[in-house]
Amino acid sequence: MTRLQTYQVFPKIPERLEFLEKLARNMWWSWRLDAIELFRRVDPRLWVQSNRNPLIFATMIAQKRFERGLKDDGFLAHLDRVQKSFEKEIETPVDYSQTPYGADAQVAYFSMEFGIHESLPFFSGGLGVLAGDHLKASSDLALPMVAVGLLYRKGYFHQYLDHEGWQQEQYPETDIFHMPVRRARDPQGNELIISVEASGGLIYAKVWKIMVGRVALYLLDTNIAENPPELREITASLYPGDSAVRLAQEVLLGIGGMKALKKLGIEPAVCHMNEGHCSFVCVERIAQVMEGKNVDLQTAMEIVPRSMVFTTHTPVAAGYDEFPPDLVRPYLQEYEKRLGTDVDTILSWGQTGEKFDPHVKLSMFVLGHNFSQFCNGVSRLHGEVARGMWNHVWPQRPVEEVPISHVTNGIHIPSWISIENHMLFERYLGPDWYSTNFDTDRAERIDQIYNEEIWRAREMSRSRLVRACRSMMVRQYGRRNAPKSVMKEVESVLDPEILTIGFARRFATYKRAYMLFMDPERFEKLVGSKDRPVQFVFAGKAHPKDHEGKDLIRQVVHFSRRPGMRNKVVFLENYDINLARYLVQGVDVWLNTPRRPLEACGTSGMKAAVNGVLNLSILDGWWAEAYHPDCGWSIGNGEEYKDHAYQDQVECRALYNILENDVIPTFYDRREGDTPDRWVEMMKNSMKLVLGNFCAHGMVRNYEKDYYLPAVRNHAVLTDNNAESAGKLVAQRRRLKREWPAVRIEPPQSDIEVPFRVGDRFSVDTKVHLGALEPGEVEVELYSGSLKSVDELKNSQVTPMSAAEDLGGGTYRYTCEVVCQEAGRFGFTARVTPRGDDYLKNAPGFLTWA
Ligand SMILES: *Cc1c(COP(=O)(O)O)cnc(C)c1O
C-alpha cells in the first residue's frame, strides 16, 4: 500500500465547555488533580482506556456525553473552578521588569529527555523525569524559562516479558495528533524549520511547541519531507545504539536547538545544559553572541561561559558520551567561518590537553564544563564524587576545589502525591499548597494531622495499588495465554492489608536487585510468616543491551513463581511514570540497594517519602544527606568496599536484620488501637522532610539563587555598552597568559618551633615574585588545614594574605595571621591566583603553589 494520507476528527465541543480543549493542550492539567478529575468525570471508563491522554480521550467520547455535561451543574462548577486556576496561574502575565531577571532575560533549559507525563514518550528514566519536574516547578514559580529537546515518536522501549521472564522490547509509535503539540512559528508567522550541517549535506528539522504550564518546550523533529528517509529516523527513538545517530541527535539538540531559539527571536541570557548531551549549545551560542553583539571570538568566550549552567548526573565515567574527532568534524565545519578559527581548535575544547590531539575523543562533559562557570552534581555526595572523578582535569587543584558544586534534586510534589494525601495537604497546608514554595513552617503543620487519618490514607493508597497490580497481572498473563488456573491465581495476587515493600528502578547491576534473593531461606521465611507477613512488588527495565540486567529480571520472575511466592512477590512490566505513581503512593517501604556511591541522587525515594512511604536504603545519593532514624532506615553506615562479593554479603545481612528487627515489628505494632503510631510518626517525618527540603520548587529556587540570577547579571554586565567589560576580561586574560610564567611563590615561613595552645596567634610570611604583574592583579592565599598525612591536608581552609612590603624587582612580602582554633597537627602552604571571578580563577594554568 502507498503511504496513507491521514486526518483527524475531533468532537465538536459545545461553547460552554470549550475550556476543556484549551486545558487538553497545556500539560498543566497533568499536575493538577482537580483538572485530571475534570476529564475523568466526563467518562471514567474511557479516561482509563485512553491511557489518560486527553487528546485520545477526546476522540473516544460520544458526542452526547458533552451534551450531558452541559446539564450537570456540579460538573460545570468544577470546570469553572479549574478554569479560574488556569487563568490565574498560567494566563496572568508576569511583569518581569519587576523581578531580578529584568524585562527580557530568559533562561533556556536544554535536555535530551523530558518526563512530563506517561502520554508523552520523551523520556527514559530519572534524568528525564527530573527535567520534567524542573519545568513544572519553573512554571509554578513563573520563571522566565523556555526549554529545548527532541521529539521522539517512539521514545524509549515498552517492556514486556516472555514465558521465561526474559525482557522483550517494543517501540510503538505515538501519533503526533495524540500529543498536544503545535508547529512553532517565527515572529513573522512562518512554520519554523532549522538545519544543521552534516557530512552528507544539511539535516533539516521542524520545530514543535508544547506548553508545560507557562513554559514553552520546543522539540526538534527530523521526520520531515526535506530529509531523505534515513535522516528522518534520527529523532525516532531515545538513546539509539549507533553512536553516529546519537551524535546527530546531540548536534540537533545543541546546535539545532540554539538555532531554533534564534529563529524564534529568543536570545537567552542563560543556558542550562542538563547533562553533557547538550554541550554543543556552547559552540552555536558563541557564534550567536559574536554575530549578535558584534564581538570577536575571544570576547564571546568571556561572555558565554559566565552565563552557562551545566548539570552532571552520573557518577560513572563510562556514563559520558565521547565521540571520535573525525565523526564530529563535519558538523563543526560551518564554524570555521562563523567563529574565525579552525575545526581542530573547536574540537580541542572538548579535550583536556593544551593542543588538539586527533587520537583523543571529544568529551561532551569536558566541552560543556569548559564553557560553564556554574557546574553542579545532583546531591551532596554526588558533588563530592564528581569532583574526585574529574580532578584529573584540574590536576593543580585539591579535590575539594574542583569547580563542581551540587544542587540536590527535588521532586515536583503535585505530580507525585496521592489523591488521599493531596486532600490532607489541602486541609492542613492550605488550598494553594500546590503552587507555593514549601517551607519548613508549613511542613510542620503535617504534625497536626490525626494519626488515624494518615493511616487511612495509607491503607487506601495501598488498596489502590493492589487493585492496579491485579489488573496489570491479569493483562500480563493474559497476553501470554496463561492457563485458566494461573489466571485465577493472578486475579487475587497480593493482600491489601499487609506490609508491602516496593523496589522499582532501572535493572542496572549496580542497583543490586538481587540482594533480597541472596538468602532465599530468609526471604521465604519473611514472606511466609503467618502473623506478620510481607509482600514485594518489583518493576523496572533493563537497558536493551544489558544482558546481565535482563538476567536479574528473569531471576526475580523465577523466584516469584516458587510455591508460596506467586501471591506475595510480583514483577510488574513496563515501569513508567504511571506505574511509578502507583508504586510510590501505594507501598509502605521503598527499598533501594545501590552500590555506593553509584546512585547520583535517586529521586524515586523522595516521591515515596512525600507520600509517607518509608525509605529503607543504602546511604547513597540523596539518602546520604536526608537519612535520619526518625524517618526511615539505612543499610550500613555509608561504607564503600573494594571486594564486591563481600560487600554484597555484609549488606544483605544488614538488610535482613533491619527488616526482621525494625521494619516488620514497627509496622505490626498495633497496641494503640489499630494504627501503628511509631510508623505513622515516621511517615509524617518523611513527608516533612521532602516538603521542606527535597521538592522541585526548592531545587529551582536554589538554581535561581546560586546560578540563574548571577548568570543573568553576568550576561547583562558583559554585553552592556558594546561588551566593554568583556573586552577588558580579554585583555586581562591575555596579560595574565603572557606574564604568569614568571610568577613564583616561596614556601611560607613562620617561627613555629614552640608548640602552641588553642587561642594563640602567629604570623606567616612569604615572598612572591610577580614579574610584571602588580599585587592588585593577584590574590595570595595561605592554604591550611589539619594533616591527613605528611603531605596532604583535610578540612582545608583558605586565608587571604596581604602585601606587606615591596622588596623591589617585582618581589613582594606577603603576610597573614593564623589563629590556633583547636588542638591537633596542622600544616600550611601558600599559592597565587589571579584576582577575578571564579571562571578566571579556575582557568587551567593560573594557579601557582609554593
Ligand atoms: C522518578 C523516576 C525515576 C528515577 O528514580 P530513581 O530513584 O533514580 O530510580 C525513574 N523512572 C521513573 C519512571 C520515575 O518516575
Side-chain angles (χ1 to χ4, degrees), residues 449-669:
I449 306 177
Y450 289 106
N451 282 2
E452 289 76 12
E453 231 175 339
I454 287 221
W455 188 245
R456 287 296 159 259
R458 170 105 299 281
E459 293 190 312
M460 280 165 76
S461 303
R462 193 191 310 113
S463 304
R464 206 147 35 80
L465 169 67
V466 168
R467 244 180 297 129
C469 285
R470 287 175 181 170
S471 73
M472 284 183 249
M473 292 292 280
V474 166
R475 237 176 306 147
Q476 263 170 241
Y477 278 77
R479 206 193 36 245
R480 279 179 241 141
N481 292 322
K484 265 225 168 66
S485 58
V486 174
M487 290 302 286
K488 197 99 214 114
E489 259 179 74
V490 299
E491 277 168 18
S492 60
V493 290
L494 303 179
D495 180 339
E497 307 280 328
I498 69 177
L499 174 59
T500 308
I501 298 181
F503 182 99
R505 49 200 72 256
R506 222 154 24 91
F507 270 66
T509 349
Y510 80 83
K511 304 232 184 196
R512 297 191 295 180
Y514 53 82
M515 189 167 277
L516 273 170
F517 305 109
M518 284 174 54
D519 192 340
E521 264 176 47
R522 232 166 146 178
F523 185 80
E524 291 195 355
K525 227 160 105 196
L526 280 190
V527 169
S529 166
K530 283 276 177 304
D531 50 341
R532 299 192 304 183
V534 187
Q535 61 194 359
F536 291 87
V537 184
F538 289 86
K541 296 173 177 178
H543 189 275
K545 291 223 172 105
D546 180 5
H547 187 80
E548 252 180 288
K550 291 184 184 179
D551 194 48
L552 284 178
I553 294 176
R554 193 190 56 86
Q555 286 173 31
V556 174
V557 171
H558 275 243
F559 209 94
S560 73
R561 289 182 188 164
R562 289 193 182 192
M565 292 293 130
R566 201 192 286 278
N567 194 27
K568 297 278 186 57
V569 181
V570 301
F571 184 95
L572 298 173
E573 291 176 356
N574 203 31
Y575 181 50
D576 72 350
I577 289 182
N578 181 43
L579 183 50
R581 224 184 282 112
Y582 275 110
L583 289 168
V584 299
Q585 296 173 2
V587 300
D588 298 293
V589 173
W590 196 249
L591 176 66
N592 194 11
T593 51
R595 191 182 302 287
R596 180 175 152 132
L598 297 181
E599 181 92 314
C601 183
T603 49
S604 61
M606 301 174 188
K607 301 170 194 166
V610 81
N611 279 296
V613 174
L614 305 186
N615 277 270
L616 165 56
S617 168
I618 300 282
L619 288 185
D620 197 6
W622 82 291
W623 197 233
E625 73 195 75
Y627 164 69
H628 187 279
D630 286 337
C631 62
W633 298 276
S634 80
I635 306 168
N637 295 304
E639 298 88 350
E640 286 165 28
Y641 298 75
K642 290 226 159 54
D643 181 344
H644 288 175
Y646 175 69
Q647 175 181 15
D648 285 356
Q649 275 181 8
V650 171
E651 293 181 342
C652 167
R653 263 200 304 272
L655 168 59
Y656 273 104
N657 289 343
I658 298 168
L659 281 171
E660 290 165 358
N661 302 328
D662 299 305
V663 179
I664 298 173
T666 313
F667 184 86
Y668 285 110
D669 179 7

Side-chain angles (χ1 to χ4, degrees), residues 396-398 401 736 739-748 766-771 773-783 798-801 803 810 812 814 829-836 840-850:
Q396 283 186 307
R397 293 213 160 257
E401 290 189 355
L736 286 169
E739 307 299 346
W740 202 265
V743 170
R744 274 190 309 116
I745 176 166
E746 294 184 11
T766 184
K767 268 190 211 156
V768 185
H769 308 277
L770 292 180
L773 296 174
E774 300 285 328
E777 293 176 273
V778 300
E779 278 170 13
V780 178
E781 296 164 340
L782 188 76
Y783 181 82
V798 174
T799 317
M801 301 183 80
Y812 299 83
Y814 272 78
T829 179
R831 65 188 186 187
V832 196
T833 64
R835 178 158 300 181
L840 183 70
K841 280 174 177 296
N842 288 328
F846 292 158
L847 176 65
T848 300
W849 291 89

Side-chain angles (χ1 to χ4, degrees), residues 297 301 329 336 341-350 356:
L297 176 62
M301 285 176 73
R329 194 175 289 279
E336 289 213 321
T341 187
D342 52 51
V343 173
D344 284 0
T345 304
I346 302 173
L347 286 165
S348 75
W349 297 340
F356 171 66

